[in-house]
Amino acid sequence: MQRFPASIGRTTINRLEALGNLVTFCLKAVGHCLYPPFYPRLIIKQMIEIGFYSLPVVGLTAIFTGMVLALQSYTGFSRIGGAESAIPNVIIVSITRELGPVLAGLMVAGRIGAAIAAELGTMRVTEQIDALATLSTNSMKYLVVPRIIAGLITLPLLVLIADIIGVLGGYVVSVYKLGFNPAAYLNNTVGFLQVMDVVSGLVKAGVFGLIITLMGCYYGYYSKGGAQGVGMATTKAVVASSIFILIFNYFLTEAFFAI
């Protein structure tokens, strides 16, 4: 009878300890981002890795999201009338405020979060991170900070491109499949768009970039157990990034909703 409460106690303590380690790592990593050295060549390399090589998958996701959104919106608005004026408004707001940042964040989390965790995890289990310490190199500064700064800069740029491609996908379906007037569609889109729609999406993207790089670095940095441990680290990094993206998306949406 005493084993069950003891098991719950041990599990709770282990979870709290893991949460404490995660928070400590995040605070330490962000703190290192505030003062030099910054290793600009490593930051540019990570920006290319995170941004340029993620562009195809983010662009593909955005254009088909815009196209599907146009079709689904037409299905609903055609029943109540005013589809031609309402659909451009729905697409521009949905893409810029919600779908662009969230879908781009999840795509990048799957690709980059796993890659960062695998790279750092491999360096950990092969003792390359320990070797950096023997060379008097701060591993947090050299390995973690460039990835965090690159994520903070690159995700908003990726989301901005995803917004444009997503709206273009909605335009193509609306004009060439549903027969909307091109000039009226563009006028409705531009006239309905507000600066806050784009700004809120870009702020979300910056936060998501921070989450993805922090989770990838954390699980990779403390990886152990050889190849199996590295595999588990990549899985945990992607799962944690995705969950935190969805949680923070709600709170950021609520914060911007009040403005």
Side-chain angles (χ1 to χ4, degrees):
M1 290 296 293
Q2 294 180 347
R3 292 181 179 178
F4 182 66
S7 174
I8 294 178
R10 279 196 300 272
T11 303
T12 304
I13 291 173
N14 290 337
R15 292 286 184 271
L16 290 175
E17 185 180 3
L19 180 63
N21 290 336
L22 175 62
V23 172
T24 302
F25 177 86
C26 292
L27 293 176
K28 190 176 177 182
V30 172
H32 278 292
C33 294
L34 302 178
Y35 59 90
F38 291 116
Y39 300 104
R41 292 180 63 180
L42 292 178
I43 294 174
I44 293 172
K45 180 184 175 184
Q46 292 301 322
M47 287 178 66
I48 294 172
E49 183 67 32
I50 296 172
F52 182 75
Y53 291 121
S54 297
L55 197 53
V57 67
V58 171
L60 198 65
T61 303
I63 193 166
F64 279 102
T65 300
M67 294 168 74
V68 170
L69 192 59
L71 289 176
Q72 293 287 23
S73 300
Y74 184 77
T75 302
F77 284 109
S78 62
R79 298 173 185 170
I80 59 177
E84 191 160 354
S85 60
I87 288 177
N89 303 342
V90 170
I91 290 176
I92 190 68
V93 172
S94 301
I95 292 288
T96 54
R97 276 186 170 260
E98 192 65 34
L99 296 177
V102 172
L103 292 179
L106 293 175
M107 290 296 107
V108 175
R111 183 180 175 276
I112 296 301
I116 291 174
E119 186 177 359
L120 296 190
T122 303
M123 294 181 71
R124 170 62 72 187
V125 299
T126 56
E127 299 182 351
Q128 293 180 58
I129 294 180
D130 298 328
L132 287 175
T134 64
L135 297 172
S136 300
T137 301
N138 188 323
S139 56
M140 290 287 285
K141 278 285 186 187
Y142 189 76
L143 298 175
V144 176
V145 170
R147 288 169 171 80
I148 292 175
I149 294 177
L152 280 170
I153 297 173
T154 308
L155 257 292
L157 296 176
L158 268 178
V159 167
L160 193 60
I161 295 172
D163 289 347
I164 296 170
I165 295 175
V167 172
L168 177 64
Y171 172 86
V172 169
V173 169
S174 299
V175 172
Y176 295 104
K177 182 175 179 60
L178 303 178
F180 290 3
N181 182 289
Y185 187 94
L186 291 176
N187 286 334
N188 283 327
T189 299
V190 175
F192 197 75
L193 180 65
Q194 296 182 358
V195 176
M196 185 53 68
D197 298 332
V198 179
V199 170
S200 62
L202 297 184
V203 170
K204 285 183 178 182
V207 175
F208 296 163
L210 180 64
I211 290 172
I212 292 166
T213 49
L214 278 174
M215 293 302 106
C217 290
Y218 171 73
Y219 285 105
Y221 196 84
Y222 291 112
S223 179
K224 56 185 178 182
Q228 186 178 7
V230 175
M232 291 176 63
T234 58
T235 302
K236 289 179 180 177
V238 174
V239 171
S241 299
S242 302
I243 291 173
F244 280 122
I245 283 173
L246 296 176
I247 292 173
F248 274 81
N249 179 54
Y250 171 77
F251 289 109
L252 290 170
T253 300
E254 188 172 286
F256 282 110
F257 182 77
I259 296 176

